Amino acid sequence: MFRSKGSLLALSSLGLAAALLVNATPASAEAKCEPDKVATKYPSIAGKTLKIGQDGESPPYSYRDPKDFKNLLGLDADLARETFACAGIKIEFVTGGWSGLLPAVIAGQTDMMWDTLYYTPKRAEQADFVTYLTAATGALVAKGNPKAIKAMEDVCGKRATAGLGTVEEASFRELSKKCETDGKKEISLVTYPDMPGGTRLIANDRADVMTTDLNMVNSFVKDNPSTFERGFMIVSDYKIAVGYTKGNKDLGQALLDGLTVLKESGKMKEIFEKYNVDYSLARANEILTK
Amino acid sequence: MKTISALSHESRAALPHAILAFLVVTSSATPALAADGPPLKPWQEFLSYIVEPFLLEGALLALQISALAMIGGITLGLGLALMRLSNNAVIRGSAWFYIWFVRGTPQLLQLVFLYDALPPLGIKLDTFTTAVLGFALNEAAFSAEIIRGGIVSVNRNQSIAAASFGMGSFLTLRRIILPQAMRAILPGMSNDVIGMIKGTSIASVIFVNELTFRSQQIVGQNFKFFTVFAAAGVIYLIMTSAISACQALLERRFNIEIDREAGRGSGFTFLNISLFGFGPKPAAPPVSVARTPVPAAKDNVEAAASLDWIRNITNPTSPEPGNESVPFVVFRNVHKAYASREVLRGIDLTVNKGEVVVIMGPSGSGKSTLLRLVNHLESLDWGEITVEGKYVGYQRRNNMMRPTRDLAKARADAQIGMVFQHFNLFEHLSAIENVMEAPVQVYGEQPETARTLALNLLASVGLSQHANKLPHRLSGGQQQRVAIARALAISPRLMLFDEPTSALDPELVGEVLGVMRRLAEAGMTMIVVTHEVRFAQEVADRVVFMDEGLVIEQGTPVEVLGAPKHERTQRFLRMVEREVDPA
């Protein structure tokens, strides 16, 4: 009967349901840590060891423990450990180049990517997402901010750098055109393949400003106060989320429940503070499937 | 952190200065994260990264992947190289296509494809397997071309000589071609190994945590890129130096220009391993002349006293030499053409048991081709040739001669020895190893028996002293005498000589003809293509004159050489005598 009405209706009802889900406050009243009940709560993933993809080279989200390189530290690593401890599910971190992490989830080689991944509707065609953080951009400049870069408009006529293929690169390109129409000089832009490579451009005076995730910028400044400082920051409306295997409902529920419990218990705040991540950037947890 | 700020001062310096400045820079840096205990000095930190297990595990992983992928890649590559050299256009084409595709697409994409695009098809490979498979498939394409280059660099004479002794194509490849091709193959192959060890870093995209990726992770956390990357660089250097050293040792092993007797004493003995089973046999122990069962002959063919050895090697079951009424080799209406050019246009000829037949004629008259048809180095187009009543590698079907499948076995069974104009000795084998090769590898003779026989044969051609020398150390005349000994080692029932003295300096011709003369005296059945009129006069039972693919005239030396009937024979003999007279 329902099917006979055609797929259009089915699609739109699904869309409505998704919209409701997004707007609803998480149904967290009953969310509890009950690792013993894993078989009844999340039957399809109970007893499995879930593979979590991380790159292990982006502090403060995922990086190697300087005291024991075998260990992974970081906001994403700790949140993942706490979430699945709460659900009673074993996990294993697999580290690889960032650009290979999402393809591996899509191919079924890993169960999820938990590594500062932005949710986009395009990506949601191939994976499902649970949000936990609001993205913010920080501008890294040399100590003393010699070119006085205090806002995005100040970058006109300067040397800027951003990660290849990132939203930051795109926004610099857009801004450069705007600079020209406003009668200012264009931006000379260089892209970098990995984060430490970008910071070296600033340290070696090959670029004036580098934009990337705010918390990474904060982390670089904190670790190298005599070399770097933050020029400016912008809170964007991008959602940072865990990307997991499309259609794995139990996994999505376990993520949602775990993150909700962590937030309510104050554990999440603790982890944010441990890694100097502004807790006001934590956002409502929601499952996004499209 | 100071490492970074200090670097900025050096950023305008040229690269070599920057590298030199590295020590200065790091010596003023303070390690940021050594929270416990006294901070390490930068050079200590650098050393500690070199022995850091986290990095060394990454290096080991790179080595494991490279080693397995190289083994797989070279094996596949050898197959592809042989396919590329195939006569079959489909086989050749498919190998070409594979190489074209794999070499032409980025390896990163190949790895991602294997890892991420195959699971939906039900093939889910783990990280390590994907890396080994991906690198092996890629290496196969590159090594195929390196191996093919090596194979084609080996003179074709080598495989013709091997074929004449009944060595099959695989045996020839393993024993003769590849050991000589190794010199051309090794440098390119070492490049590939080194390239692969370093190139495994691109596999981080499929979760391979090898050295570069691990050092990037450490740098991502502590920003000590100079210290960490320098340490990683040193680890890479250690690994690649080991490969370079192996390359140098292997190149020495396969370098035929190095005197092996000298090499043996200089610490390279352990390299007498048989690489992939196709290395040349470990060099023979030095031959002591005193141990040879025959009396030591001086380097003078006339000195060889006994002819017993030839009686021993000529087929003992055959009738006594000298029984010249038995037809041994029979040519009937033999035709052969290369493309549209007719080389043989209907040859009828009979060679009797124990007879010495000399074939003469201007160049291009088809003499050498006729010789090569006897032991089926070339296939005939029409007519038939029998040796002792049997075809060599043919079956008669519907009144047509068709080559049999196992041509190598047919040649071996026929036991026909052949001596070439350019000697065609196996360049990588010593004189005695050249002589032993066919008896051991084709006829399954015990190496010790074959060695004794080889020593006897070398002694009787006056070369006992040179048994352990490689061919390029010998004069042309000596090389041709080794070639005769090599042909005799298979106990031939028939000997074919294809212009055996044409490539020799005049003063060396005599020593080779001397050996042939004694062979004839011992009753060997011989077909000799030569321009040596005197040899023909004195040794031949019959002289056959050929021109333009036909037998023009034949008869005893007195008839053909003394009173040639045909005008073309007369003209040819006048020309040959004019050449000989001034000398």
Side-chain angles (χ1 to χ4, degrees), chain A residues 55 64 95 97 108-109 203 220, chain B residues 4 115 124 204 209 217 223:
Chain A
D55 69 351
R64 291 284 170 185
T95 52
Q109 292 278 13
F220 295 139
Chain B
I4 291 172
Y115 191 72
K124 196 162 164 182
S204 67
N209 284 215
Q217 289 188 331
F223 294 96

Side-chain angles (χ1 to χ4, degrees), chain B residues 10-24:
Chain B
E10 305 297 335
S11 62
R12 262 154 278 152
L15 187 65
H17 292 113
I19 293 166
L20 277 176
F22 161 64
L23 291 171
V24 184

Side-chain angles (χ1 to χ4, degrees), chain B residues 55-65 239:
Chain B
L55 289 181
L56 291 179
E57 275 167 31
L60 182 66
L61 184 63
L63 278 182
Q64 286 169 331
I65 290 173
M239 294 194 288

Side-chain angles (χ1 to χ4, degrees), chain A residues 55-57 59 63-64 66-67 69-70 94-97 100-101 103-104 107-110 196 200 203-204 220 224 227, chain B residues 1 4 7-8 11 36 52 54 57 115-116 119 124-125 204-205 207 209 213 216-221 223 225 229:
Chain A
D55 69 351
E57 53 179 347
Y63 62 95
R64 291 284 170 185
K67 298 210 180 87
F69 291 132
K70 288 193 160 59
V94 286
T95 52
L101 299 180
Q109 292 278 13
T110 62
R200 277 176 295 218
N204 295 336
F220 295 139
N224 305 279
T227 310
Chain B
M1 221 179 74
I4 291 172
L7 182 67
S8 66
S11 62
D36 309 325
E52 167 62 47
F54 182 70
E57 275 167 31
Y115 191 72
D116 290 334
K124 196 162 164 182
L125 303 173
S204 67
V205 77
F207 299 89
N209 284 215
F213 185 57
Q216 272 174 344
Q217 289 188 331
I218 296 180
V219 169
Q221 165 265 314
F223 294 96
F225 54 89
F229 286 165

Side-chain angles (χ1 to χ4, degrees), chain A residues 70-239:
Chain A
K70 288 193 160 59
N71 249 351
L72 279 178
L73 293 182
L75 181 84
D76 286 340
D78 280 11
L79 284 179
R81 273 191 275 260
E82 293 294 338
T83 299
F84 289 101
C86 177
I89 297 166
K90 274 191 220 143
I91 57 166
E92 176 197 349
F93 288 112
V94 286
T95 52
W98 194 89
S99 53
L101 299 180
L102 191 60
V105 173
I106 295 164
Q109 292 278 13
T110 62
D111 297 291
M112 75 199 88
M113 166 179 182
W114 197 327
D115 195 352
T116 42
L117 174 66
Y118 286 8
Y119 154 82
T120 65
K122 183 95 186 147
R123 283 175 179 165
E125 287 169 13
Q126 292 184 292
D128 290 345
F129 291 84
V130 175
T131 60
Y132 63 99
L133 190 67
T134 298
T137 302
L140 187 75
V141 297
K143 181 74 189 166
N145 199 353
K147 299 284 171 77
I149 298 170
K150 288 175 181 149
M152 205 60 176
E153 303 82 72
D154 298 338
V155 183
C156 288
K158 308 276 173 15
R159 298 168 303 166
T161 183
L164 180 65
T166 57
V167 285
E168 288 87 6
E169 182 196 349
S171 64
F172 273 137
R173 295 202 185 281
E174 208 170 299
L175 176 62
S176 185
K177 282 182 205 147
K178 192 170 167 289
C179 294
E180 284 186 278
T181 45
D182 293 355
K184 292 183 212 164
K185 277 191 183 164
E186 57 176 0
I187 297 171
S188 120
L189 180 65
V190 198
T191 55
Y192 57 77
D194 62 303
M195 202 73 73
T199 63
R200 277 176 295 218
L201 292 177
I202 302 295
N204 295 336
D205 191 28
R206 295 183 205 272
D208 301 316
V209 59
M210 160 183 162
T211 53
T212 186
D213 176 85
L214 173 68
N215 294 302
M216 293 190 195
V217 169
N218 289 343
S219 169
F220 295 139
V221 173
K222 181 175 165 284
D223 287 341
N224 305 279
S226 60
T227 310
F228 300 128
E229 66 180 61
R230 196 177 76 196
F232 61 89
M233 61 171 277
I234 312 162
V235 176
S236 73
D237 51 358
Y238 274 104
K239 297 161 185 162

